[in-house]
Amino acid sequence: MTETDRGRLAALGGFATTAVLLVLTVVAFLTNALRPLGWQGGEYAYSFVWIALGSAIAGLAVRVAAPAPWRSAGKGMAIAGTAGVVVVITLIVAFIWAWSSFSG
């Protein structure tokens, strides 16, 4: 396995870790999986936002501070975290638009 292959695999691993956490959060929300623990919609939303923000920030930190193979993992985490943040911003904008359109 070459250094380039290791970097790509690490980037995929960093991206997949964050993406799986975000998808599992959405699936848990849709199935109400954590209701026995008292979770409602807000807790799932907070979890999604914090996973997205945390992954974007941690990915950038790893990208800057870590040795070579981990930099690629940080890049993958940062990309997936940024995608999650974009989803959150898009949902907020859609909610505000819908609220203002249907208010009267």
Side-chain angles (χ1 to χ4, degrees):
M1 183 178 275
T2 65
E3 187 69 28
T4 304
D5 291 337
R6 283 188 199 123
R8 288 181 181 162
L9 188 60
L12 179 63
F15 181 87
T17 301
T18 301
V20 165
L21 286 172
L22 292 172
V23 168
L24 285 175
T25 303
V26 171
V27 169
F29 170 70
L30 293 175
T31 60
N32 223 356
L34 299 175
R35 183 171 187 143
L37 299 175
W39 280 42
Q40 296 176 358
E43 285 84 4
Y44 297 106
Y46 289 137
S47 296
F48 190 93
V49 169
W50 285 116
I51 290 169
L53 285 174
S55 295
I57 292 168
L60 291 174
V62 168
R63 180 94 173 126
V64 170
W70 291 101
R71 284 188 215 134
S72 295
K75 182 178 180 181
M77 284 177 64
I79 291 171
T82 303
V85 170
V86 167
V87 167
V88 169
I89 292 170
T90 302
L91 290 173
I92 290 170
V93 168
F95 179 77
I96 291 171
W97 175 79
W99 188 266
S100 66
S101 295
F102 298 118
S103 291

